[in-house]
């Protein structure tokens, strides 16, 4: 009888012992991660602390401080690591083809229709990327008649007239940069006729940017705890407001309208290649839409009859991701570039002198002729200013999570941490990589001169650590388009004007994945530069 009475106590003791082993002894002493420094005392045992940091939008700065204190590999949770090194760091994880996890579900559109960015498996991603990589290549963009027509139209017919209309009246240049960036990317996706016109339509611009930005603060639950979020939603408990979903649907419908307009343009022209169009219509050719439609049709032909509506949504989901990422990041980059340059009148003057060497110069009198993209690449100061802005003010400074593969991996610049098991969430962030003081002297200062005065060896090392567009097979497919439009916009602006900051309250970046100014504005005044 006494033995039977002792059984519950024995069971309780066993449970306690197993719990101590599972949640204390194993993570502290026996786990393959036990030797890795913890970003927080609780990181070995629970993810609650890092979830709390993410909920409060303090992730980038918190992880960066932890790397500064504890080194290039740190533990964020029982099954999560962060790396801040190139060798056995980003080269292993991102060039090694580690797969994506549930974190990227948020970037699917139209109720779960995947796009290239949100595809979890590298094989799926590679298949989609092969459809698009050529038209986003630097060689194609620089030789494309459509891109040439788009750039000329947007600079001379939209952007410069909008600047001229401001006179000496202060205005929010962040909103204007977001607008011209959207018009650039949409024109390349859908054609000028079918794409956006946020630059000239200020009312629609205000509506769209307010709608888009209003959702930023509501990503935590579906992104970090997607299963919990879905489970609660299934019983009527929504962790994000209904209007966030409504806003997403409005943006999706707007994108679908441009998809359908592009389809009508293609049907009208009866052509699949831009070169077949006459000069007057060349800018209306929907380059990316046409390429994706053609490649999707070929892929569907191999697999049997296609579902037209499903194909339409897959194309729309892909192009929505391109336009959202393209306009948001470019608008942020241009805003910080102008903010920094506005504090350096001497550098503005030097940049203008460099821009005046272009032939033709980007002035309204030279409409509609722009200098060739290749000539912009030869301007050292312009390129240094852009590169330094992308370093210090990366538009996407936040972590890019991956999952360690079967067989695990080794991490650390000296291979210090072998036998990292599979299934571990691991990420790097540009915010930290770009602030390595051993690579970037005075890393918190905006110093374009570092790219003009450094030795070839120093430049090589800085560019090894440069991560504004990611790296590996999933590196940003639109990086060359972004750089091209940034160069034309900056060249057009500073060939004709000086910029003076009137109000930069809230200019600090938000501490989130894609990081705009916290105040959502940069108020400047333009001063026309006379020859």
């Amino acid at each position: 009888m006494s033995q039977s009475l002792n059984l519950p106590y024995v069971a309780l003791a066993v449970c306690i012992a197993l719990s101590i082993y599972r949640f204390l002894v194993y993570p502290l002493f026996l786990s393959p991660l036990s030797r890795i420094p913890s970003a927080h005392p609780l990181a070995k045992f629970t993810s609650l602390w890092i979830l709390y940091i993410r909920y409060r939008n303090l992730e980038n700065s918190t992880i960066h401080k932890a790397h500064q204190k504890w080194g290039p590999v740190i533990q964020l949770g029982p099954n999560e690591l962060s790396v801040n090194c190139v060798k056995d760091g980003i080269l292993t994880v991102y060039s090694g083809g580690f797969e994506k996890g549930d974190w990227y579900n948020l970037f699917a559109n139209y109720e779960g229709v995947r796009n290239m960015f949100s595809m979890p498996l590298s094989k799926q991603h590679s298949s989609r990327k092969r459809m698009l990589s050529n038209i986003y290549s630097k060689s194609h963009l620089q030789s494309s008649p459509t891109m040439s027509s788009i750039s000329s139209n947007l600079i001379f017919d939209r952007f410069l007239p909008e600047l001229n209309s401001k006179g000496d009246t202060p205005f929010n240049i962040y909103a204007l940069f977001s607008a011209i960036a959207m018009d650039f990317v949409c024109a390349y996706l859908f054609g000028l006729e079918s794409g956006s016109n946020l630059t000239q339509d200020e009312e629609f611009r205000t509506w769209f940017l307010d709608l888009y930005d209003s959702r930023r603060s509501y990503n935590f639950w579906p992104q970090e705890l997607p299963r919990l979020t879905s489970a609660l939603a299934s019983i009527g408990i929504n962790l994000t407001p209904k209007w966030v979903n409504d806003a997403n649907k409005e943006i999706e419908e707007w994108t679908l309208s441009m998809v359908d307009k592009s389809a009508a343009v293609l049907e009208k022209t009866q052509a699949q290649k831009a070169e077949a169009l006459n000069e007057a219509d060349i800018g209306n050719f929907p380059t990316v839409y046409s390429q994706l439609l053609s490649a999707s049709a070929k892929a569907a032909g191999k697999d049997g009859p296609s579902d037209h509506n499903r194909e339409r949504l897959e194309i729309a989901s892909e192009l929505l991701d391109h336009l959202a990422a393209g306009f948001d990041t470019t608008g942020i980059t241009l805003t910080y570039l102008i903010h920094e340059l506005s504090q350096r009148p001497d550098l503005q003057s030097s940049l203008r002198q460099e821009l005046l060497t272009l032939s033709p110069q980007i002035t309204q009198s030279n409409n509609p002729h722009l200098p060739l993209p290749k000539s912009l690449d030869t301007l050292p100061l312009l390129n240094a200013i852009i590169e330094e802005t992308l370093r210090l003010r990366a538009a996407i400074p936040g972590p890019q999570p991956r999952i360690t593969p079967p067989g695990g991996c080794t991490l650390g610049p000296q291979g210090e941490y072998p036998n990292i098991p599979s299934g571990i969430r691991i990420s790097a962030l540009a915010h930290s990589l770009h602030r390595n003081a051993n690579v970037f002297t005075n890393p918190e200062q905006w110093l374009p001169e570092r790219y003009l005065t450094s030795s070839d060896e120093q430049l090589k090392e800085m560019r090894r650590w440069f991560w504004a567009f990611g790296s590996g097979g999933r590196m940003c497919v639109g990086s060359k388009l972004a750089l091209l439009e940034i160069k034309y916009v900056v060249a057009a602006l500073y060939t004709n004007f000086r910029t003076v900051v009137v109000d930069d309250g809230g200019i600090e970046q938000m501490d989130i994945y894609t990081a705009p100014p916290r105040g959502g504005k940069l108020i400047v005044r333009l001063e026309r530069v006379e020859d």
Side-chain angles (χ1 to χ4, degrees):
M1 184 75 175
S2 60
Q3 289 181 342
S4 62
L5 288 174
N6 287 333
L7 285 178
Y9 297 103
V10 172
L12 178 61
V14 169
C15 288
I16 293 173
L18 289 174
S19 297
I20 291 172
Y21 174 81
R22 172 66 180 84
F23 296 107
L24 188 63
V25 176
Y26 181 79
L28 273 179
F29 304 109
L30 302 177
S31 166
L33 309 185
S34 60
R35 294 177 53 240
I36 298 175
S38 297
H40 186 275
L42 293 176
K44 298 281 184 199
F45 315 110
T46 178
S47 295
L48 289 177
W49 85 272
I50 190 62
L51 287 172
Y52 177 66
I53 291 297
R54 287 169 178 148
Y55 181 75
R56 295 181 60 206
N57 293 329
L58 297 171
E59 181 174 19
N60 301 335
S61 57
T62 299
I63 293 176
H64 177 58
K65 289 175 183 175
H67 276 299
Q68 287 182 307
K69 183 175 182 179
W70 298 109
V73 182
I74 56 174
Q75 188 170 5
L76 303 180
N79 294 295
E80 184 175 358
L81 303 174
S82 176
V83 296
N84 188 39
C85 53
V86 176
K87 184 177 182 293
D88 280 330
I90 59 173
L91 286 179
T92 295
V93 177
Y94 299 92
S95 297
F98 288 20
E99 307 290 13
K100 292 184 173 181
D102 291 346
W103 191 86
Y104 291 89
N105 292 350
L106 183 73
F107 297 96
N109 303 304
Y110 302 99
E111 297 184 354
V113 178
R114 296 280 185 177
N115 45 56
M116 183 164 58
F117 185 71
S118 64
M119 289 175 176
L121 302 180
S122 297
K123 185 176 180 180
Q124 295 172 300
H125 174 272
S126 297
S127 177
R128 179 65 58 83
K129 191 172 184 178
R130 282 194 296 270
M131 297 179 180
L132 298 167
S133 57
N134 177 61
I135 55 173
Y136 278 114
S137 68
K138 185 174 183 177
S139 59
H140 183 90
L141 289 165
Q142 292 193 342
S143 63
S144 166
T146 303
M147 192 69 237
S148 177
S149 177
I150 286 169
S151 300
S152 179
N153 181 287
L154 293 178
I155 292 297
F156 290 120
D157 295 348
R158 298 191 194 181
F159 184 61
L160 282 176
E162 188 68 17
L163 294 181
N164 287 325
S165 73
K166 300 302 180 185
D168 60 357
T169 304
F171 67 101
N172 181 9
I173 203 167
Y174 174 43
L176 179 59
F177 282 151
S178 296
I180 191 64
M182 177 68 87
D183 290 355
F184 255 104
V185 70
C186 281
Y188 196 56
L189 297 176
F190 307 110
L192 282 165
E193 182 180 282
S194 305
S196 64
N197 190 355
L198 272 67
T199 305
Q200 293 176 309
D201 190 342
E202 189 168 355
E203 183 178 351
F204 183 80
R205 177 204 309 170
T206 301
W207 172 83
F208 178 84
L209 294 179
D210 286 347
L211 187 72
Y212 188 89
D213 290 338
S214 67
R215 309 165 308 146
R216 291 191 194 274
S217 300
Y218 297 94
N219 291 341
F220 171 80
W221 294 106
Q223 193 158 45
E224 297 297 339
L225 298 166
R227 295 174 188 176
L228 174 63
T229 303
S230 296
L232 291 176
S234 68
I235 58 174
I237 301 174
N238 295 307
L239 297 176
T240 55
K242 180 180 180 298
W243 62 261
V244 173
N245 291 329
D246 293 341
N248 288 331
K249 288 178 181 178
E250 288 191 71
I251 293 170
E252 289 172 350
E253 287 301 315
W254 179 62
T255 304
L256 270 176
S257 73
M258 291 189 285
V259 166
D260 292 340
K261 289 176 185 176
S262 299
V265 167
L266 279 184
E267 185 176 352
K268 179 182 177 181
T269 60
Q270 296 292 304
Q272 291 295 315
K273 290 188 177 296
E275 291 76 7
L277 299 177
N278 60 52
E279 187 173 351
D281 291 333
I282 198 73
N284 292 327
F285 185 75
T287 301
V288 182
Y289 170 80
S290 175
Q291 174 73 13
L292 191 53
L293 180 68
S294 177
S296 297
K298 289 180 182 178
K302 296 177 182 178
D303 300 329
S306 62
D307 180 334
H308 173 72
N309 189 57
R310 178 70 184 185
E311 180 182 71
R312 175 173 172 261
L313 291 180
E314 286 183 348
I315 290 174
S317 180
E318 186 64 51
L319 300 185
L320 173 50
D321 179 68
H322 291 217
L323 73 86
F327 102 87
D328 202 9
T329 56
T330 299
I332 291 168
T333 300
L334 284 166
T335 299
Y336 283 110
L337 187 152
I338 267 59
H339 181 253
E340 296 288 358
L341 262 181
S342 296
Q343 299 171 69
R344 298 276 302 272
D346 58 325
L347 205 56
Q348 286 192 50
S349 298
S350 297
L351 176 60
R352 183 168 187 268
Q353 292 307 307
E354 184 178 78
L355 295 172
L356 292 177
T357 67
L358 292 170
S359 181
Q361 296 169 4
I362 308 180
T363 62
Q364 200 71 52
S365 62
N366 288 327
N367 186 352
H369 302 293
L370 285 172
L372 294 174
K374 290 181 180 179
S375 63
L376 295 171
D377 291 342
T378 66
L379 302 181
L381 181 56
L382 173 64
N383 287 282
I385 286 169
I386 293 170
E387 194 163 3
E388 178 67 349
T389 304
L390 289 167
R391 180 197 70 83
L392 183 60
R393 299 293 192 178
I396 300 182
Q400 310 272 0
R402 298 292 190 269
I403 305 298
T404 53
C409 66
T410 295
L411 298 174
Q414 307 300 323
E416 298 96 320
Y417 306 112
N419 304 316
I420 303 297
S422 63
I424 300 297
R425 173 169 156 172
I426 183 170
S427 41
L429 59 163
H431 181 86
S432 283
L433 289 163
H434 291 175
R435 284 167 170 75
N436 184 337
N438 294 323
V439 177
F440 303 100
T441 305
N442 299 317
E444 294 291 349
Q445 294 184 32
W446 186 79
L447 298 171
E449 294 86 352
R450 73 173 80 244
Y451 293 98
L452 304 174
T453 60
S454 296
S455 67
D456 289 344
E457 190 62 31
Q458 288 172 320
L459 284 172
K460 182 179 178 181
E461 186 67 1
M462 285 192 289
R463 282 164 184 155
R464 284 180 71 234
W465 286 76
F466 182 80
W467 215 56
F469 299 111
S471 59
R474 290 185 182 257
M475 182 179 177
C476 174
V477 71
S479 61
K480 300 300 187 294
L481 175 61
L483 289 171
L484 177 62
E485 60 187 274
I486 288 170
K487 289 176 185 180
Y488 272 132
V489 168
V490 173
L493 174 59
Y494 282 107
T495 297
N496 298 279
F497 301 94
R498 282 187 291 266
T499 56
V500 178
V501 170
V502 175
D503 179 4
D504 63 355
I507 193 62
E508 65 276 6
Q509 281 186 282
M510 296 179 72
D511 194 343
I512 55 178
Y513 178 70
T514 302
R518 191 173 298 277
K521 70 179 189 333
L522 174 62
I523 309 301
V524 302
R525 185 181 73 252
L526 301 180
E527 295 179 351
R528 180 169 293 282
V529 180
E530 303 295 339
D531 291 328

